[in-house]
Amino acid sequence: MRVEIAGDGTPELAAVACLHGNEICGKTAIERVLAENPDVERPVCFVIANEEAIAEHVRCIDEDLNRAFPGDPDGNTHESRLAAEMLPHVRDCAVLDLHSTRSHPKPFGLIAQLNERTKRLACATGTSRVVDVSYIAGGLIDHVDGVAVECGLRGTEQAERNAERILRNFLGVMGALDTLSEAGDPELYRIFDVVEGAGYEFVGENFVRVETGTVFARRDDEELRADQSFYPVLMSTDGYKDILGFQAERVGKLSDV
Ligand SMILES: [Zn+2]
């Protein structure tokens, strides 16, 4: 794990990359910002988490780090020990956690706890959509006030550019960096169900409403039809091993919630 503190004092802000070792856009973004030796107005903790997984170009070594928090210093897995080592660095910070995905090219935020601080963080990313993922348990953002961002398609330069823009915007809005930045007012979606199963082809589009009765996935001769309308989120043909993705409802503008 690489931890860099910019500025003096105890950081109140943190930017985290590579909880998943094969999602390097956040690492690129952090390295581009740090390369400028930024003159921060508030101290910021930058974390590049799973360096062992990065070196092997894999999501994780033993288990998903983003399901390993709070972790255990004597745990049986690399990720359990790493989670325990990492959490104290960011526990009291407002956290931006950068990811990439197989499901959707445009950035969107994820929040696990809806409170005034996380709402402000979600707005600070500047993304146009944010998803309440409290239905899915276990990520870093369950343990800190934070927002995760899916910055774009895994392994693309576009995801790296998006991650850099989001990081700079976040640092600007949160008062750490004197830079062009603007808080957004994203549309809030809330996940209410998971679609399980392997080997399905997803034939819809994320954040595009699937009407009741519509086919949204196929496997051989089998079709999945919506038994109620929903918005697909993190849904993809090959993003996960055992699930197709998630079903969400659209709640409204975050500022109205
Ligand atoms: Zn990820």
Side-chain angles (χ1 to χ4, degrees), residues 216-243:
F216 63 95
R218 289 197 180 91
R219 180 172 67 183
D220 304 323
D221 294 335
E222 185 191 348
E223 290 178 335
L224 292 184
R225 275 176 203 277
D227 47 21
Q228 66 182 108
S229 65
F230 70 91
Y231 291 85
V233 171
L234 290 164
M235 212 170 257
S236 65
T237 298
D238 52 5
Y240 298 101
K241 237 187 287 174
D242 307 318
I243 68 169

Side-chain angles (χ1 to χ4, degrees), residues 18-23 59 64 66 97-101 110 149-150 154:
C18 292
L19 289 187
H20 297 136
N22 59 351
E23 300 173 8
R59 183 177 178 86
D64 188 336
N66 209 22
D97 172 21
L98 297 162
H99 291 255
S100 50
T101 168
L110 308 169
V149 179
E150 297 287 0
R154 197 190 298 159

